[in-house]
Amino acid sequence: MTTTAPARLPTGRPPLPPRHWLRTGWVMTASGWSANQFSALLGAYHSGPGLTAATTSALFGVYVLGLIPGLLLGGPLADRRGRRPVVFTALAISALATALLMAGATATGLLWPGRFLTGIGAGALLSAGSAWIKELSSPPYDTVSAPGAAARRSGLFLSAGFATGGLAAALTAQWAPAPLITAYLPHLALSAAAALLAARTPETATPGGQLAATTTAAPVLAPGTAPAPAFRRLVAPVAPWVFVAPSIALATLPGLVDAGLTGWQTVYAGIVTAVTPGTGLLVAPLARRLAARHRIATAVAGLAAVILGLLLAAFAVACIRPDAALLAAAVLGAGYGLCVAYGLTEVAALAPPDRLARLTARFWALCYLGFCTPYAITLLAGWFAPATVLLAAVVPAAATLALIAHRGTRRGTRRPV
């Protein structure tokens, strides 16, 4: 009896498996892009259609009203029906939402359903796409990646969309004709490209919630740890801060410090939208090293960065310093990157295979509650100085850090990554 050895590269090493996760990752980029392209245009909506600060903050937040049902419905549907149909439906909804935002340049009433549907599409993409990438980064689809790689990949692709979407929209709006229309064209192109790439990716879940191919056991948990209690104790308190940090940097800071940047406010906002999630990308190696040292180390570092970023933001607003605000945005972006890496790593470790998309959806739903922060700051600014409101936000952030440190130290374990 003869056997055929697997083909080898000229170096003598076996060929790398197909990188299906790489093709699927672009749906996460499309999700981040769709969320952030509007953020960079808030100043343009002030100067163009003349929307008030309260209206643009509300439009920024109404995205969450669509995103949460998108997450909570998209996750279970992806577990029951498969990843592919949910992802492609969500991409179509996201493209429709962008078309409505383009029409909103002349009919501002369409901005509301446009932002709501943006949330629906982004939520379903986040829940189904994160689960898809996680499964495609594991055997039998990927036999070479280290444990924990899937969580980092989802966060990196999402952060790439956040970073490039806002900057591209801002630069287009600054120099292209019909800025509030043409600024959205790149997202339509990206959505089409993401759909074409994902079309070549295998389905990892079959109708009924079973994995299409399973070669791994259930996730390894810390001794005495059940998924739901561990999620509530160690993940849920951190999750809202994932987007409290960048939403303040993106939607609040630019309008409070750009008074001396006449004519360049949109470009400045675009730079902020690139720097904030861009820093989140850069801290990914640090997140991995911290996670290898202790289960909650990444969360503690992330929350500490959020606190420092809030202090810098308060200083920048009090002194009207665009440069200090940019530094604050970078630090807040680091906090975002560390907190999201922590949350996705914990979810991937806690969730049974047939409930991965659901637990992922719960995590993202809690994260996106943070997107309501700019609207809350706008309302509170009627009674308090914005810098004071930012300083006050340090108190719950510090309380969350103390809570996680206490719980993690008492029940934490080291988890190799």
Side-chain angles (χ1 to χ4, degrees):
M1 179 177 179
T2 59
T3 59
T4 302
R8 293 183 173 271
L9 298 174
T11 58
R13 293 178 299 199
L16 293 175
R19 294 186 177 183
H20 296 301
W21 58 267
L22 183 58
R23 291 197 295 269
T24 307
W26 291 101
V27 305
M28 300 292 286
T29 301
S31 176
W33 190 297
S34 70
N36 229 18
Q37 59 184 347
F38 182 82
S39 306
L41 301 176
L42 295 179
Y45 281 108
H46 284 307
S47 58
L51 302 182
T52 66
T55 299
T56 54
S57 294
L59 282 167
F60 184 84
V62 79
Y63 165 83
V64 180
L65 297 180
L67 184 129
I68 291 179
L71 285 167
L72 298 181
L73 294 174
L77 279 174
D79 283 336
R80 290 198 301 267
R81 304 293 183 184
R83 315 308 187 202
R84 182 188 299 274
V86 174
V87 163
F88 280 94
T89 301
L91 280 172
I93 292 173
S94 185
L96 172 61
T98 293
L100 288 173
L101 293 175
M102 294 170 70
T106 53
T108 55
L110 293 177
L111 294 174
W112 296 95
R115 285 292 287 167
F116 181 79
L117 288 177
T118 298
I120 291 281
L125 282 175
L126 282 172
S127 54
S130 295
W132 207 2
I133 291 173
K134 193 269 182 185
E135 290 155 0
L136 291 169
S137 299
S138 306
Y141 305 100
D142 185 344
T143 58
V144 298
S145 295
R152 291 189 293 273
R153 287 167 180 169
S154 294
L156 289 172
F157 274 107
L158 181 66
S159 297
F162 281 137
T164 53
L167 182 60
L171 295 178
T172 304
Q174 183 71 28
W175 287 292
L180 296 182
I181 296 175
T182 54
Y184 293 107
L185 291 175
H187 177 251
L188 294 179
L190 175 61
S191 297
L196 290 174
L197 289 168
R200 300 174 53 199
T201 305
E203 176 63 81
T204 56
T206 58
Q210 299 299 316
L211 293 183
T214 303
T215 61
T216 59
V220 177
L221 305 179
T225 303
F231 182 87
R232 289 194 297 268
R233 289 175 55 81
L234 296 176
V235 179
V238 179
W241 295 101
V242 168
F243 285 131
V244 167
S247 67
I248 289 174
L250 303 177
T252 299
L253 285 183
L256 295 175
V257 301
D258 65 359
L261 301 175
T262 305
W264 294 94
Q265 289 95 333
T266 300
V267 171
Y268 177 76
I271 293 172
V272 170
T273 59
V275 166
T276 305
T279 309
L281 283 168
L282 293 176
V283 299
L286 174 62
R288 179 177 182 178
R289 289 195 295 270
L290 289 171
R293 295 177 66 86
H294 195 279
R295 180 177 189 175
I296 65 159
T298 311
V300 169
L303 290 168
V306 171
I307 292 169
L308 177 58
L310 289 171
L311 293 172
L312 289 170
F315 167 77
V317 170
C319 300
I320 314 180
R321 292 276 301 272
D323 55 342
L326 197 60
L327 176 61
V331 177
L332 289 168
Y336 150 77
L338 292 169
C339 288
V340 76
Y342 165 78
L344 288 173
T345 300
E346 282 293 304
V347 167
L350 291 171
D354 61 342
R355 297 186 64 84
L356 176 60
R358 299 183 192 195
L359 198 61
T360 301
R362 288 177 59 191
F363 169 68
W364 284 120
L366 291 172
C367 289
Y368 270 98
L369 291 176
F371 256 64
C372 298
T373 307
Y375 188 62
I377 291 175
T378 300
L379 294 178
L380 291 172
W383 291 279
F384 307 98
T388 303
V389 177
L390 291 169
L391 279 176
V394 170
V395 176
T400 305
L401 191 157
L403 177 67
I404 292 299
H406 171 68
R407 290 177 174 177
T409 302
R410 187 175 63 179
R411 300 189 58 171
T413 59
R414 295 181 184 272
R415 177 184 294 123
V417 175

